[in-house]
Amino acid sequence: MKPTQTTASICCYCGVGCGVLIEHDGEQLLDVSGDPKHPANLGRLCSKGATLHKTGDLAARALDPELRLGKGLARSRTDWDTALGHAADIFGRTIAEHGPDSVAFYISGQLLTEDYYSFNKLARALISTNNIDSNSRLCMSSAVVGYKRSLGADSPPCSYEDIEQSDCLLIAGSNMAYAHPVLFRRLEAAKAANPAKRIIVIDPRRTDTCDIADLHLAIEPGTDVALFHGILHILLQQNWVDHAFIQAHTDGFADLAQLVQDYAPAHTAKLCGISEADLNLAASLIGTAPSFLSMWCMGLNQSTSGSAKNSALINLHLATGQIGKVGSGPFSLTGQPNAMGGRETGSLSNLLPGHRDADNAGHRAEVADYWGVDSLPANAGLSAVELFEAVRTGGIKAIWIACTNPAQSMPNQTLIHEALVACPFVVVQEAFFTTETCRYADLLLPAASWGEKEGTVTNSERRISHVRSAVPAPGQARADWAIVCDFARRLERQLRPGLPSLFGFSSPAEIFDEYKQLTTGRDLDYSGLSHQLIDELGPQQWPFNVKTQQGTQHLYTDGKFATDNGNALFVSEPYQPARERRDVRYPLILNTGRLRDQWHGMSRTGTAAQLFGHVEQALLSLHPDDLDKHDLHDGDLVRVSSRRGELVLPVQADEQVRPGQAFLPMHWGDRFLKGLGCNVLTQPAFDPLSKQPELKQSCINIRPAELQWELFLLVEGKVQERFEAIRPLCEGFDYLGMGLIGRDRPALLLRAASIQAPDAELLAQIDALAGLDSGPVLSYEDPAMAVSKRVRLDQQRITAVRLSGETAARNWLRSLWLSGEPASELSRWLLAPISTPPGAASACADKTLCNCIDVSQSRICAGIERGLNLDDLKQELGCGTQCGSCVPEIKRLIASLAVPA
Ligand SMILES: Nc1nc2c(c(=O)[nH]1)N[C@H]1C(S)=C(S)[C@@H](COP(=O)(O)OP(=O)(O)OC[C@H]3O[C@@H](n4cnc5c(=O)[nH]c(N)nc54)[C@H](O)[C@@H]3O)O[C@H]1N2
Ligand SMILES: Nc1nc2c(c(=O)[nH]1)N[C@H]1C(S)=C(S)[C@@H](COP(=O)(O)OP(=O)(O)OC[C@H]3O[C@@H](n4cnc5c(=O)[nH]c(N)nc54)[C@H](O)[C@@H]3O)O[C@H]1N2
Ligand code: SF4
Ligand SMILES: [Mo]
């Protein structure tokens, strides 16, 4: 056995940026724990971070470059030299024939700073195009506009410590309990230590985050600007504003004061669908608090008025002078682990490195000078939605996609898939070959992933950490920066023959040292840092310049903002409703967002069965009244349609969603849910300034799917291989939902339905792949009814089940399998399997609430019914004692089930 070692690194999921300690033997990752020394998490991890080592099944990894030599042909494996040589030929030829703007790069907030910098230099300096955009366009770009317009630079002024220090916290359009769990733990602890701390949550849904709120404002979707203006109206009326601050440090207040006259309490409350009393309460909590902090996320940013929402919220801080001091300020939570680094290095089409703008001639000249090229392109680059539209209509002829899965995550998927089919040359630089986008790759480049690559990331509080590699990348996979620089050097031979290379880097540290000089003298100046210094001093918050040699906790403490005259600006924009409104044809508003244990398109989290324990499949949540109205029951399949597409999905009753609204998690794409996934329904309409699409509000209708023939498959073992083999066979089903189940014995789980039974041949193929064609298999066949059932028993234990035609026994068999017990009642049931299976009445599928200790909802409910409180449950069952991600949900169950004393 090899000796185990520990490497300190950073979690690759959300923007909290937790430090992790990776235990490994130099070849394999063995375990992960929270780094007690990292200031972002002080040793805590959430359910996703704590299971990192259990994800990333090698069977799902991209291991070799693969090249398709003609549309319609299969890709074949190749070596790096051939792969990148071919890419350089095609890019070179396309640029020569159609100009630099005929190629584009679509990159990701999950790359490391050094990867971004290489991509930016490649696109802007070498190729001379601004067609380089990232998935941050779907994520943080409204916040970027908000900060720049109101404060002069894209710099979040706060620190995590403000969560403890603040007297009043506003959480707007953020489900922190799921999406930034370690910060939420911090908030829970702070509230427990100081119950006088007031917390307001603004969210149309009653999420787990609301459990901590003193006040939850369940506003009508998209009405945040009206709400913020309405609050300011009251602040002015009550004289809860800081006139001295406004006078000394801001511009534009008179216009805003005028505008908010239109937002009187009664009118605002009506627009927002809340009570006037709640509106007044919110204003008084904010207006009278000694310190006021706001945190927000996609509920504000992903909107056609995302920029206005951001500025309207910042207005409240400027009007009350609650910025630039401890416990106060506007604090956007960044989604992806290095969305901040992307913004710093200029990884949106309109930006340049060092918080510069591509449409600013002075900025272009500074960067061109530093890079030693004549000039940078002045043509505006395309933003994500525009970029894929240009691909679809032929303007862009070669696209390079890295570390993002647009064929799952972009709105209006039908058009995205059309674009990827139409594009003459698609390069996909990916760690997992399983994603929806990889299907379209003419060239697939295998990327090293978490635990295997090195560089830096910046988290939500501007803190730069060193991401370290623990083990070598598998197969031929290489680090992203290395792939980019290798390609760039080949392209240079065509575009800059004879000149010295711009890409002669041999390590991420070297790239960092070149890049950091572009921050010199800028608001974010971190020219004083290096990889080595971060290793010595620990992670640091920018600015960190050569002179001060220390990090910065709070910005704007002197009341000087990053604008030309040093004053912050009040932005006055009226409330505009969301683009799509409910009407007779589309009477429900679809909201989309995150689940606790899944990450985006699930390329990584979707390889760990444990992470499906909390939510097993894609479900459309509706208020119970809406289910009644449509005569629907939990689990019924419906056809969900928007103006753009249709999906078949099971529904679930959910009191957290208000009547007239629906919620669908964003995670399921075409791989796990047939029909191009959640985003086949969403709309591409975007904010005019940030160009961020409105992913949170699209109108839909539902109708019963009426699919009589059903299929259920559960098969233990080799889950990735079986997934890949079985998924392509399922295209003919009207409904298909796939997932994993189990912990120590992972199994593949499949539910499908159709109007008619498929060919017997198809079932035979599935049976063969599931080991249900021979061996110890019990079966029942009723061809006249198109019903057929098979169960495989190995040593008396169920290892595979396939029910087709009718699947009433599926939950019973599922629990029998989960129990791992010998299945004695099976043969009796199989004699007459259409009759109600034993225990079927109560056998609705259970779920795992506590993922760390593996405690199911049913055990927790039974405990609550016996009178146990949270502490008793923790002690008796162990639930909630590790990462704590399940605690809000347990509290909610206690509130709904506990027998009043
Ligand atoms: N578990 C998990 N965590 C993640 C991620 C993940 O995939 N999984 N992804 C990371 C990334 S990239 C991001 S961007 C963040 C996102 O983090 P969040 O933004 O917190 O998560 P979402 O669930 O997308 O949306 C937040 C909330 O916005 C609400 N909302 C919808 N419409 C409106 C509205 O009009 N106004 C208001 N005020 N609220 C509204 C939704 O009901 C939802 O509860 O999460 C990060 N963390
Ligand atoms: N309906 C709806 N749609 C949404 C959202 C929503 O709330 N609702 N949210 C939007 C938001 S905020 C975001 S951020 C996007 C996220 O959308 P995507 O960017 O598509 O999300 P991921 O699935 O995280 O894609 C990252 C990809 O990078 C791969 N990868 C992992 N590590 C590496 C690596 O080191 N190198 C390389 N080259 N590849 C790697 C992963 O396998 C994965 O396929 O989705 C957006 N789409
Ligand atoms: S909160 Fe969870 S997902 Fe986010 S960085 Fe920390 S451990 Fe990772
Ligand atoms: Mo995001």
Side-chain angles (χ1 to χ4, degrees):
M1 244 180 56
K2 297 203 179 62
T4 53
Q5 312 161 38
T6 304
T7 301
S9 191
I10 304 297
C11 173
C12 64
Y13 296 123
C14 84
V16 178
C18 297
V20 295
L21 297 175
I22 307 175
E23 207 179 293
H24 60 97
D25 61 8
E27 267 172 29
Q28 296 224 345
L29 304 174
L30 303 173
D31 201 1
V32 167
S33 57
D35 182 350
K37 288 209 212 112
H38 198 289
N41 59 318
L42 305 168
R44 295 185 197 94
L45 290 180
C46 77
S47 49
K48 292 180 298 301
T51 46
L52 266 167
H53 59 293
K54 299 186 178 175
T55 60
D57 196 327
L58 259 192
R61 288 295 300 272
L63 299 175
D64 300 290
E66 289 177 13
L67 183 59
R68 190 195 318 275
L69 284 167
K71 293 282 178 191
L73 302 176
R75 281 194 307 254
S76 45
R77 263 193 244 164
T78 184
D79 55 61
W80 279 105
D81 193 43
T82 312
L84 294 179
H86 183 82
D89 279 353
I90 302 228
F91 267 69
R93 214 180 317 137
T94 309
I95 294 162
E97 282 174 25
H98 305 281
D101 288 341
S102 64
V103 304
F105 297 86
Y106 184 58
I107 62 177
S108 163
Q110 295 169 62
L111 289 168
L112 308 182
T113 296
E114 294 75 5
D115 304 330
Y116 288 126
Y117 181 72
S118 313
F119 266 118
N120 264 294
K121 201 173 178 189
L122 163 64
R124 304 195 210 248
L126 177 58
I127 298 179
S128 198
T129 181
N130 284 317
N131 283 340
I132 170 164
D133 210 48
S134 93
N135 61 0
S136 285
R137 187 67 69 181
L138 314 178
C139 184
M140 296 312 294
S141 90
S142 296
V144 174
V145 173
Y147 284 124
K148 282 170 75 174
R149 282 202 305 178
S150 298
L151 308 178
D154 177 21
S155 305
C158 306
S159 288
Y160 293 157
E161 273 147 13
D162 292 317
I163 293 176
E164 280 97 37
Q165 305 293 333
S166 182
D167 299 292
C168 176
L169 280 107
L170 178 70
I171 303 172
S174 144
N175 184 10
M176 292 177 75
Y178 280 13
H180 298 92
V182 164
L183 281 191
F184 193 68
R185 295 289 88 73
R186 210 158 158 167
L187 177 59
E188 284 173 329
K191 171 90 174 163
N194 174 15
K197 188 189 283 293
R198 289 291 163 250
I199 299 171
I200 308 167
V201 176
I202 306 173
D203 196 310
R205 278 192 312 151
R206 200 198 174 291
T207 61
D208 277 10
T209 302
C210 299
D211 281 337
I212 203 171
D214 298 286
L215 176 64
H216 170 213
L217 300 175
I219 58 168
E220 280 296 315
T223 59
D224 304 81
V225 171
L227 177 70
F228 298 144
H229 287 349
I231 290 175
L232 186 56
H233 181 106
I234 302 171
L235 296 180
L236 277 168
Q237 215 173 32
Q238 301 292 333
N239 202 20
W240 282 328
V241 293
D242 184 340
H243 292 289
F245 183 88
I246 295 171
Q247 181 70 31
H249 304 296
T250 70
D251 292 324
F253 189 63
D255 286 348
L256 182 63
Q258 182 68 36
L259 176 75
V260 303
Q261 288 313 311
D262 297 343
Y263 296 83
H267 174 59
T268 304
K270 191 156 173 252
L271 271 180
C272 300
I274 56 173
S275 72
E276 223 180 303
D278 280 353
L279 175 63
N280 279 312
L281 178 57
S284 77
L285 292 176
I286 292 170
T288 60
S291 55
F292 163 49
L293 182 74
S294 58
M295 295 189 283
W296 74 94
C297 208
M298 292 308 117
L300 297 199
N301 293 352
Q302 290 173 340
S303 157
T304 47
S305 46
S307 303
K309 286 185 181 189
N310 272 266
S311 286
L313 177 56
I314 298 175
N315 286 342
L316 296 181
H317 287 277
L318 296 174
T320 51
Q322 298 282 15
I323 184 167
K325 54 181 207 179
V326 172
S328 296
F331 195 9
S332 56
L333 300 176
T334 46
Q336 299 174 87
N338 197 26
M340 287 283 282
R343 290 145 70 176
E344 292 152 26
T345 51
S347 301
L348 287 171
S349 57
N350 52 310
L351 304 178
L352 289 177
H355 280 180
R356 289 179 176 85
D357 293 317
D359 65 359
N360 179 318
H363 287 175
R364 286 200 303 273
E366 283 166 18
V367 180
D369 251 17
Y370 184 69
W371 280 342
V373 296
D374 293 341
S375 63
L376 294 188
N379 291 357
L382 297 172
S383 72
V385 172
E386 302 165 312
L387 193 151
F388 279 93
E389 195 47 23
V391 172
R392 195 177 72 92
T393 50
I396 286 173
K397 298 175 194 314
I399 185 169
W400 191 299
I401 299 167
C403 200
T404 174
N405 181 16
Q408 191 275 334
S409 55
M410 286 284 292
N412 202 2
Q413 277 300 316
T414 308
L415 296 192
I416 302 298
H417 284 253
E418 276 176 35
L420 290 168
V421 169
C423 188
F425 190 54
V426 179
V427 181
V428 181
Q429 184 170 322
E430 239 301 335
F432 293 82
F433 77 87
T434 49
T435 72
E436 287 81 357
T437 306
C438 286
R439 204 182 305 156
Y440 299 98
D442 298 303
L443 179 62
L444 177 65
L445 302 175
S449 184
W450 177 82
E452 305 153 2
K453 58 187 290 194
E454 196 233 337
T456 54
V457 291
T458 310
N459 72 3
S460 296
E461 59 164 0
R462 295 173 278 107
R463 192 179 294 280
I464 304 181
S465 295
H466 193 176
V467 172
R468 297 182 187 86
S469 74
V471 296
Q476 294 193 61
R478 285 171 81 183
D480 289 290
W481 69 269
I483 300 174
V484 180
C485 293
D486 189 346
F487 168 73
R489 286 190 295 266
R490 290 163 196 262
L491 194 60
E492 275 182 321
R493 288 179 215 143
Q494 296 174 52
L495 300 182
R496 288 168 44 99
L499 292 174
S501 176
L502 301 171
F503 299 89
F505 306 111
S506 59
S507 72
E510 247 178 63
I511 300 179
F512 187 91
D513 288 341
E514 177 178 306
Y515 156 61
K516 72 182 183 191
Q517 303 298 351
L518 278 169
T519 68
T520 309
R522 306 287 305 163
D523 70 293
L524 76 168
D525 193 341
Y526 53 81
S527 55
L529 279 176
S530 64
H531 283 201
Q532 198 192 338
L533 204 58
I534 299 173
D535 291 344
E536 282 166 24
L537 303 178
Q540 296 297 317
Q541 286 178 283
W542 60 251
F544 187 112
N545 66 31
V546 186
K547 269 198 238 123
T548 56
Q549 284 291 309
Q550 61 176 20
T552 312
Q553 245 191 336
H554 293 99
L555 304 181
Y556 313 133
T557 47
D558 55 0
K560 280 214 180 58
F561 294 91
T563 52
D564 290 343
N565 70 356
N567 283 350
L569 187 69
F570 283 103
V571 175
S572 309
E573 281 164 339
Y575 156 68
Q576 305 267 358
R579 191 60 57 88
E580 285 197 333
R581 321 266 183 95
R582 278 177 278 222
D583 60 19
V584 205
R585 283 179 61 212
Y586 299 99
L588 294 163
I589 299 187
L590 176 72
N591 177 0
T592 62
R594 271 113 191 122
L595 292 174
R596 194 188 77 187
D597 295 348
Q598 292 294 352
W599 179 260
H600 298 166
M602 302 157 73
S603 58
R604 179 179 278 282
T605 49
T607 62
Q610 185 176 336
L611 294 176
F612 287 81
H614 188 233
V615 177
E616 197 169 272
Q617 57 178 334
L619 296 168
L620 183 75
S621 295
L622 291 165
H623 189 271
D625 292 351
D626 280 327
L627 285 194
D628 283 349
K629 208 156 87 187
H630 288 86
D631 197 19
L632 289 166
H633 303 277
D634 262 345
D636 286 356
L637 292 173
V638 293
R639 284 184 196 278
V640 190
S641 309
S642 77
R643 289 185 174 80
R644 293 153 295 276
E646 184 180 282
L647 269 184
V648 180
L649 279 169
V651 290
Q652 80 170 340
D654 186 346
E655 302 260 5
Q656 299 185 305
V657 176
R658 280 175 62 166
Q661 301 181 21
F663 181 78
L664 181 61
M666 63 155 306
H667 305 290
W668 281 277
D670 188 59
R671 179 170 146 79
F672 290 93
L673 178 69
K674 196 192 136 240
L676 307 190
C678 162
N679 277 318
V680 79
L681 302 169
T682 55
Q683 56 167 330
F686 54 67
D687 178 277
L689 299 174
S690 70
K691 312 235 169 136
Q692 181 159 353
E694 188 146 73
L695 290 161
K696 293 279 184 268
Q697 281 105 37
S698 308
C699 290
I700 55 162
N701 65 42
I702 54 168
R703 58 186 200 285
E706 285 168 0
L707 304 172
Q708 305 306 330
W709 184 89
E710 292 188 6
L711 174 68
F712 171 81
L713 179 75
L714 185 162
V715 48
E716 190 179 305
K718 292 197 257 171
V719 287
Q720 285 305 325
E721 292 86 340
R722 286 197 162 113
F723 197 119
E724 292 313 312
I726 293 174
R727 176 64 187 85
L729 301 177
C730 300
E731 278 307 316
F733 300 130
D734 293 283
Y735 162 69
L736 172 75
M738 292 184 74
L740 308 183
I741 177 180
R743 254 174 117 85
D744 310 326
R745 295 178 283 120
L748 177 68
L749 193 67
L750 179 158
R751 248 193 94 187
S754 274
I755 298 175
Q756 285 179 343
D759 284 351
E761 175 56 24
L762 179 68
L763 285 187
Q765 278 178 294
I766 293 178
D767 283 347
L769 290 166
L772 284 159
D773 54 337
S774 61
V777 174
L778 304 176
S779 71
Y780 169 88
E781 304 290 331
D782 181 352
M785 303 293 289
V787 166
S788 150
K789 308 186 178 193
R790 292 192 174 192
V791 181
R792 184 181 173 105
L793 293 171
D794 288 294
Q795 274 107 42
Q796 288 308 303
R797 200 173 59 74
I798 297 178
T799 54
V801 177
R802 190 265 295 154
L803 308 176
S804 60
E806 164 281 309
T807 64
R810 63 176 186 270
N811 286 329
W812 173 61
L813 290 165
R814 183 183 169 284
S815 358
L816 269 187
W817 170 77
L818 261 180
S819 76
E821 305 285 319
S824 52
E825 300 133 304
L826 258 187
S827 22
R828 188 165 51 83
W829 169 73
L830 268 172
L831 288 174
I834 295 187
S835 60
T836 317
S842 64
C844 81
D846 201 358
K847 67 174 182 175
T848 313
L849 278 202
C850 172
N851 224 327
C852 303
I853 310 285
D854 192 16
V855 187
S856 68
Q857 173 162 311
S858 56
R859 282 177 66 204
I860 293 172
C861 291
I864 297 171
E865 274 155 9
R866 279 192 288 121
L868 302 188
N869 65 19
L870 181 61
D871 285 337
D872 305 331
L873 289 165
K874 282 184 174 174
Q875 211 166 30
E876 195 168 306
L877 304 175
C879 54
T881 53
Q882 303 287 310
C883 83
S885 294
C886 60
V887 170
E889 206 168 338
I890 298 177
K891 283 192 189 154
R892 189 151 45 77
L893 285 175
I894 294 175
S896 66
L897 292 177
V899 196

